[in-house]
Amino acid sequence: MSAEAADSGAPLRRRSRPRIDLRRLGRVALRGPVSRDRLPDAISHVAEAHRAHHPDADLTILRRAYVLAESSHRGQMRKSGEPYITHPLAVTLILAELGAETTTLTASLLHDTVEDTEVTLDQVKEQFGDEVCYLVDGVTKLEKVDYGAAAEPETFRKMLVATGNDVRVMSIKLADRLHNMRTLGVMRPEKQARIAKVTRDVLIPLAERLGVQALKTELEDLVFAILHPEEYEETRALIAAATGPDDPLETIADNVTHTLRDAGISAEVLIRPRHFVSVHRVRRKRGELRGTDFGRLLVLVGEDADCYAVLGELHTCFTPVISEFKDFIAAPKFNLYQSLHTAVVGPEGAVAEVLIRTHRMHKVAEAGVVALGNPYAQDPAAPQTEPSDERADPTRPGWLSRLLDWQESATDPDTFWTTLRDDLAQDREITVFRTDGGTLGLPAGASCVDAAYAQYGDLAHTAIGARVNGRLATLSTVLSDGDTVQPLLAQDTASGPSPDWLDHARTPAARIAITGWFSDHPDEAKPDPETADATGPGTRGEPAAATEREAPARNRSGPRPTGVVVDDPNAQVRLAGCCTPVPPDELTGFVVRGGAVTVHRRECPAVAAMQEIGRAPVVARWADGEGRESDAGCRVTLVAESFGRPRLLADLTEAIATADAAIVSATVEPPSEQRVRHTYTLRLPDAAGLPGLMRAMRDVAGVYDVSRAQHPAPAG
């Protein structure tokens, strides 16, 4: 299918079904009932298109659905002046041409009856069964779209939920929007622009995600014509001027056909014209358009192996443009798309892009999930089950499952709307492996923060770092396709995330979870000098984040023994994370938010910062001259300076473990002049073991210094 606006002037390379005259169909629909032994003339085109994909389809149910829809909508008119029945007829024809199965077409004919007429869902269920009723109900729940700014987010939230339960609901909605866009000319220009923007921002990306390229490309052209009329007319003129007998693609197509025939490969070679938006994009990318830029060659074969045979012949007999080669058969796109992409140089230096795929791949590329039939069809021998709201959809891509998960957490409509558009803008997906053998589907550019929330949900609030392909990595590390990732969580379950994690999160689930945590803990969102003790020299959101949050988090669940005594025996006492004092360090404390006392080493830079802003020090000392934490030992932050070498991190980690110290968090700064700085926050059974631990770390080859951390604290 091509956009209605694109029909005029576009070069026609192959035969296609002519556009149906909807006004004529409307007049036919008003002629009343027909005999029971034949289909009404109004849906004969639907039946023809349906039988082209499903020769054995039973059309009886379509006839009954049409009769109910026509009688229910009789007397209703569209704003264009056409009988309303022309709309469900057109929507059903669009889906029939895409190859939708009979149940989808039946629901499409009835998709407005429950909403706009006196027909009830019970009547639909009684006459057409549970499956059709389920689809009609799913579309009905989307309600009339109010294109006001406030109503749009909630409308599409409902659409998303309905889509997740059955992808055929979205197929019907996309076809419904396409027909409405085709007939948008009867509305005011401002309303046309409003609808076109929503279509551009949400429905076109959803069509892309579902792989329905035939709908997506026509919607793009219609939106292009409304929102950018001048550029659209320029593109139309360019396409019209390029139409002629001397098409260089025709010559290359003939050469390719002869080459494959001589090689004994059975293939169909077609010229596939670019749609308007595609031509416009190529023009913006290259500036001057070449004669071959207005279309691409499409080579269709029978088997997957034939695709690679065609590729071999083309690269042998023509000069290939290697940079244009992409293999989407071995690595399909997230929307089920499979094809080989390449480009070859033809006569006189003309470069032609070539798409190579099987006939089945082509059907899926055009129609996406619509081409997959009924994903819920049951084995006749299996027990029959009632449809439910919780369906396992074998065609549901990972991105759709993720959207369904996070939309439940996004209670704010504006947050939902913004996050939805950001997520749909992601056009590539990666797969990373978990250490337990499972996989995680993430958008390209996702970080270890995203992997942590994808695997552990809210437990990821305690993340302190990760292992990527067996090596320690910061939470900000961007993952690549095929990486193995193991998020590392702190033992303190009261820890919280860092605000900087929002800079690294790409998935809606991670961003909403982090934002939700700070909404519940507003005091943790913006650190100030009162919490300077909890900050280190790295970026919050690096593996040290758990240490930075752990001390204040403990106080939310009650005081914990620190081995430190202050003047007020009822005050909660915590050891500063910036300098992690241990016996026999000299101590100074400060009262911070909530009345707790944070204790620093006396030489800690945070002490001077607190005094500069007028904070009075609190006398603090180690209890009984020991200061040991009776339950969990003591914490200390050490900085190791070293020369970079392979396995350095592993050797340091082994030395720490041998000294019976537990790593609470670790940060490795980027190498500078072959030198690497490691910052570890450790928990020791006893402060007396600290000198031995530091000696063991200094003994690691390549390490030239190990010292207690002295983190600068912000002033004011």
Side-chain angles (χ1 to χ4, degrees):
M1 293 179 293
S2 59
E4 188 172 46
D7 285 344
S8 176
L12 298 177
R13 311 285 187 181
R14 56 188 176 88
R15 293 182 179 179
S16 60
R17 183 177 289 103
R19 179 60 49 80
I20 304 302
D21 186 344
L22 295 177
R23 289 181 175 81
R24 184 184 65 79
L25 292 184
R27 290 193 296 271
V28 172
L30 292 177
R31 291 176 184 172
V34 297
S35 61
R36 299 179 61 87
D37 58 349
R38 72 181 185 88
L39 283 170
D41 291 339
I43 59 169
S44 59
H45 297 287
V46 173
E48 178 186 352
H50 188 39
R51 281 281 173 84
H53 295 277
H54 305 276
D56 300 326
D58 182 2
L59 302 179
T60 304
I61 192 172
L62 286 181
R63 179 193 181 283
R64 290 193 290 111
Y66 168 76
V67 170
L68 176 60
E70 189 279 323
S71 61
S72 302
H73 290 296
R74 188 173 297 171
Q76 296 178 353
M77 307 296 286
R78 305 193 78 217
K79 290 185 178 180
S80 61
E82 301 165 336
Y84 194 87
I85 188 61
T86 60
H87 173 65
L89 275 172
V91 172
T92 306
L93 180 60
I94 290 169
L95 292 169
E97 290 182 326
L98 289 173
E101 38 76 50
T102 309
T103 303
T104 303
L105 300 186
T106 304
S108 175
L109 282 169
L110 300 170
H111 79 271
D112 279 336
T113 55
V114 174
E115 184 178 356
D116 295 337
T117 75
E118 297 181 357
V119 175
T120 66
L121 274 175
D122 289 338
Q123 288 176 298
V124 173
K125 183 175 182 178
E126 181 181 352
Q127 294 189 43
F128 300 98
D130 292 334
E131 202 72 28
V132 172
C133 176
Y134 188 92
L135 296 179
V136 172
D137 184 39
V139 178
T140 301
K141 285 179 179 176
L142 303 182
E143 302 177 348
K144 286 286 187 182
V145 177
D146 177 0
Y147 293 98
E152 204 59 82
E154 191 57 34
T155 297
F156 283 99
R157 181 196 290 270
K158 293 177 181 178
M159 180 185 302
L160 185 63
V161 174
T163 299
N165 287 338
D166 196 320
V167 292
R168 292 173 294 176
V169 173
M170 180 55 72
S171 301
I172 296 172
K173 182 60 184 179
L174 287 171
D176 174 80
R177 176 57 64 94
L178 176 56
H179 181 243
N180 285 333
M181 288 292 296
R182 286 176 177 174
T183 57
L184 208 57
V186 299
M187 295 186 178
R188 300 187 307 275
E190 59 271 21
K191 191 165 187 178
Q192 291 184 37
R194 195 157 58 242
I195 296 173
K197 287 177 182 177
V198 173
T199 303
R200 175 197 64 193
D201 292 343
V202 177
L203 283 175
I204 288 176
L206 278 173
E208 169 77 12
R209 292 294 183 98
L210 293 173
V212 194
Q213 293 296 319
L215 298 185
K216 178 228 176 190
T217 54
E218 184 171 351
L219 285 171
E220 281 186 328
D221 282 350
L222 292 167
V223 168
F224 184 39
I226 293 172
L227 298 182
H228 306 282
E230 294 182 0
E231 293 174 327
Y232 174 81
E233 289 301 329
E234 291 177 3
T235 306
R236 174 194 288 274
L238 286 171
I239 292 176
T243 304
D246 300 326
D247 186 348
L249 279 177
E250 294 281 3
T251 303
I252 299 176
D254 289 340
N255 291 341
V256 169
T257 300
H258 291 129
T259 297
L260 299 180
R261 184 184 300 128
D262 293 344
I265 301 174
S266 177
E268 183 179 1
V269 181
L270 304 172
I271 296 177
R272 184 177 177 82
R274 290 184 184 272
H275 63 109
F276 280 65
V277 171
S278 180
V279 172
H280 177 67
R281 288 171 180 158
V282 173
R283 184 189 179 197
R284 290 184 60 183
K285 178 181 178 182
R286 296 178 182 165
E288 190 74 22
L289 289 174
R290 305 171 301 202
T292 54
D293 288 336
F294 294 92
R296 292 182 286 190
L297 298 187
L298 174 63
V299 181
L300 298 178
V301 295
E303 303 293 338
D304 291 10
D306 295 337
C307 295
Y308 294 97
V310 170
L311 180 70
E313 288 298 323
L314 293 183
H315 283 194
T316 300
C317 300
F318 298 86
T319 301
V321 182
I322 300 301
S323 61
E324 297 293 328
F325 173 68
K326 298 181 181 66
D327 187 346
F328 294 117
I329 295 179
K333 288 187 177 182
F334 57 81
N335 58 4
L336 311 177
Y337 177 87
Q338 288 184 287
S339 187
L340 294 178
H341 290 204
T342 189
V344 296
V345 180
E348 301 180 0
V351 177
E353 295 183 37
V354 185
L355 311 178
I356 309 168
R357 59 180 72 142
T358 65
H359 290 279
R360 183 185 181 280
M361 291 177 191
H362 181 59
K363 182 178 180 180
V364 174
E366 290 291 288
V369 295
V370 179
L372 299 179
N374 181 358
Y376 314 104
Q378 295 183 342
D379 185 343
Q384 297 296 311
T385 59
E386 292 292 325
S388 68
D389 289 337
E390 298 296 333
R391 292 185 165 200
D393 184 352
T395 70
R396 179 190 295 172
W399 65 265
L400 183 53
S401 295
R402 290 198 306 272
L403 288 181
L404 289 167
D405 290 339
W406 66 255
Q407 70 83 25
E408 295 179 358
S409 304
T411 54
D412 176 49
D414 291 334
T415 300
F416 164 77
W417 184 240
T418 302
T419 313
L420 171 63
R421 290 190 296 184
D422 290 346
D423 188 79
L424 290 176
Q426 301 286 343
D427 61 355
R428 197 167 67 84
E429 190 171 87
I430 64 172
T431 299
V432 298
F433 296 91
R434 295 163 31 173
T435 53
D436 61 3
T439 61
L440 298 173
L442 300 170
S447 67
C448 292
V449 171
D450 299 297
Y453 280 96
Q455 183 168 349
Y456 293 113
D458 287 345
L459 290 178
H461 292 328
T462 66
I464 58 175
R467 290 186 183 275
V468 178
N469 301 324
R471 305 186 67 177
L472 285 177
T474 63
L475 288 171
S476 61
T477 301
V478 176
L479 298 169
S480 300
D481 200 25
D483 281 347
T484 298
V485 61
Q486 178 187 9
L488 305 176
L489 306 183
Q491 294 181 350
D492 184 356
T493 57
S495 299
S498 161
D500 290 339
W501 291 8
L502 290 171
D503 296 333
H504 311 307
R506 294 293 178 269
T507 58
R511 296 186 64 83
I512 289 175
I514 296 167
T515 303
W517 191 91
F518 284 114
S519 297
D520 295 336
H521 305 86
D523 290 343
E524 303 293 339
K526 295 181 179 180
D528 60 14
E530 297 179 7
T531 56
D533 56 284
T535 60
T539 302
R540 297 185 54 131
E542 303 298 313
T547 302
E548 297 155 2
R549 285 293 175 192
E550 188 170 82
R554 284 200 300 265
N555 290 323
R556 290 196 297 271
S557 58
R560 174 180 174 179
T562 61
V564 174
V565 177
V566 297
D567 291 343
D568 183 356
N570 296 319
Q572 295 183 11
V573 179
R574 65 185 183 185
L575 300 179
C578 55
C579 57
T580 54
V582 297
D585 296 333
E586 295 184 351
L587 307 177
T588 295
F590 293 93
V591 178
V592 295
R593 187 161 35 216
V597 176
T598 300
V599 177
H600 298 256
R601 294 165 61 192
R602 187 166 295 175
E603 63 270 26
C604 177
V607 173
M610 290 292 190
Q611 291 175 336
E612 286 178 7
I613 62 174
R615 294 294 177 84
V618 174
V619 175
R621 66 182 186 279
W622 297 109
D624 301 325
E626 297 181 5
R628 299 176 183 175
E629 297 187 51
S630 58
D631 295 333
C634 66
R635 290 159 55 97
V636 63
T637 299
L638 300 178
V639 177
E641 305 281 352
S642 65
F643 297 104
R645 67 170 177 83
R647 288 192 53 80
L648 173 63
L649 196 58
D651 292 343
L652 267 172
T653 304
E654 183 178 356
I656 293 170
T658 302
D660 293 329
I663 298 177
V664 177
S665 66
T667 301
V668 181
E669 298 179 14
S672 175
E673 298 181 353
Q674 299 301 314
R675 289 176 171 83
V676 183
R677 179 186 176 96
H678 308 250
T679 302
Y680 296 95
T681 296
L682 308 171
R683 191 183 303 279
L684 286 75
D686 193 298
L690 180 58
L693 169 64
M694 296 176 69
R695 284 195 300 271
M697 293 175 66
R698 291 191 187 102
D699 289 341
V700 173
V703 177
Y704 57 84
D705 188 30
V706 176
S707 60
R708 297 279 297 279
Q710 292 286 349
H711 300 339

